[in-house]
Amino acid sequence: QVQLAESGGGLVQAGGSLRLSCAASGSISSIKRMTWYRQTPGNQRELVATITTAGNTVLAESVKGRFTIARDNAKNVVYLQMNSPKPEDTAVYYCNMNLVVAGLEYSYWGQGTQVTVSS
């Protein structure tokens, strides 16, 4: 059974830093795209950052210059480094991975981790 486990969320002061991690476990052949999303109450989930197998990244305009995404393919982990967070970055952050399991590709989600940025 494949699982995604997120960690690293919590309370951080504006201007500080926080690193989120998401580790995949189970019978995984390979992992393609890894993505971080976030969601606030009453709003749709929005893409924060994504990284391909080759390491190419795309970040939302609102986080460019402050957040970075990285992956460790040996450990099946994706990271979101949040530098200089702002109160408007407060949200539940979810990781998503496109995984190949038994020859088929699936999309898996983490359970979400709360990030609260205080002013």
Side-chain angles (χ1 to χ4, degrees), residues 22-94:
C22 177
S25 61
S27 301
I28 301 167
S29 299
S30 62
I31 304 179
K32 296 189 174 182
R33 184 177 296 273
M34 296 178 169
T35 306
W36 285 98
Y37 291 83
R38 66 186 181 187
Q39 188 171 25
T40 53
N43 293 309
Q44 289 187 332
R45 202 167 289 188
E46 65 171 354
L47 187 146
V48 177
T50 187
I51 184 167
T52 67
T53 306
N56 298 313
T57 63
V58 175
L59 284 89
E61 286 295 326
S62 59
V63 305
K64 278 184 180 177
R66 300 186 297 119
F67 293 8
T68 57
I69 185 171
R71 62 190 287 167
D72 185 331
N73 292 325
K75 296 181 179 180
N76 291 341
V77 176
V78 61
Y79 303 99
L80 183 68
Q81 180 67 43
M82 305 171 62
N83 295 329
S84 300
K86 304 175 181 179
E88 51 263 44
D89 294 319
T90 295
V92 178
Y93 284 72
Y94 298 90

Side-chain angles (χ1 to χ4, degrees), residues 99-113:
L99 309 174
V100 177
V101 178
L104 297 176
E105 185 172 335
Y106 300 90
S107 177
Y108 281 87
W109 290 89
Q111 78 283 1
T113 185

Side-chain angles (χ1 to χ4, degrees), residues 3-24:
Q3 289 187 324
L4 270 57
E6 300 168 4
S7 60
L11 177 65
V12 61
Q13 282 194 327
S17 65
L18 198 67
R19 189 176 80 159
L20 306 182
S21 301
C22 177

